[in-house]
Amino acid sequence: MSQAGTSSELILGIESSCDETAAAVVRAGREVCSSVVHSQIAEHAPFGGVVPEIAGRSHLRQILPVVEEALDQARVDLDDLAAIAVTSRPGLIGSLLVGLCTAKALAYARGLPLVGVHHIEAHAYAATMESDVQLPALALVVSGGHTALYRMASPTDLALLSQTLDDAAGEAFDKVAHLLGLGYPGGPEISRLAEEGDPRAIRFPRYRAKEGRPSFSFSGLKTAVLYHLRGQDALAPTPAPEDIERPQDVAASFQEAVVDTLVGETLRSAEREGLETILVTGGVACNARLRERMGEAAAERGLRAVFPSPAYCSDNAAMIAGLGFELWRTGATADLELDASAR
Ligand code: KG4
Ligand code: ZN
């Protein structure tokens, strides 16, 4: 018998929607027994972004070792599990299928229930795992692929309020980092460079949503950075990174514009919806300036902003196992016909 003992509340979570192969064992939706993440960053970095073909192949190599390590670290066997939860949507289809087929095979072999989890809803759930959160709450999910606001009535009841018109916030960080000659992923690099810069040096535009329109837009901001770098002549070539003047000011001013937009629109939405708790999750929620500004702005209005630890902001399988538990206990299990969906 394994160390963790037989428990009807242990869920194995599997995540492979983008460029992280991850597995985790979580008890009762909150107690993380193990969380293993294999990042593919080094494999995609030479291309400046995620290459779907490389991602799928890498998941295939990593998935079984990662699952085994998660079980080993938690000291549980497959037979100790109550269910297996897996990200089934949205994401890169070839990547999703690797996790999904693995989860199906294990569930079938051991006669375990299978639970399909929505990746973005799991990001929102992550904010409820480490602290007691009063629901309903507003959830801002900001990642490389998504920037969206949800009304979270319960862990399994999320209503999409609004999303980005074009680029996701993380995508904008990655694209601007590329213009500045920084590495991939761009968010952490911009954030580091911005620490040495002046956020008021350049006044980049802030998108302000009109009534009934999507809350966010970042493609105009990205273009504004490009034109700033080219100077007066919009048709001039983009300067080489070493010729850019005070890149730290560009990074700090760009980051400030993103943070202003995210904080402003999130607080307006909280007010409109009458919600007092704001959950901020997804890779961009690792950003120190966003954490600081959102925390301050919420406190000024008597609201509470909750951020998961950075390890649970970016892609991980603990959030999949966590939300998987909530779904499993409400009977929302899937059969072996469960399909992956890019959207
Ligand atoms: O949630 P995530 O790990 O994967 C997706 O589901 O997309 O988010 C990755 C995104 C990348 O665009 C990355 O640049 C951004 O999160 N990111 C950050 C920071 N750390 C990661 N953006 C801004 N500041 C950071 N510190
Ligand atoms: Zn994600």
Side-chain angles (χ1 to χ4, degrees), residues 131 133 138 266-267 276-280 290-299 302-308:
S131 47
V133 168
L138 180 71
T266 301
L267 289 172
E276 291 175 358
T277 305
I278 298 169
L279 314 176
V280 188
L290 175 63
R291 293 170 94 97
E292 177 189 327
R293 293 269 320 276
M294 189 74 86
E296 284 169 5
L303 309 177
R304 180 177 176 223
V306 180
F307 294 83

Side-chain angles (χ1 to χ4, degrees), residues 205-222:
R206 273 80 168 148
Y207 169 82
R208 177 77 195 258
K210 294 202 177 62
E211 188 71 30
R213 300 282 295 152
S215 296
F216 307 107
S217 165
F218 295 102
S219 79
L221 172 59
K222 175 194 66 191

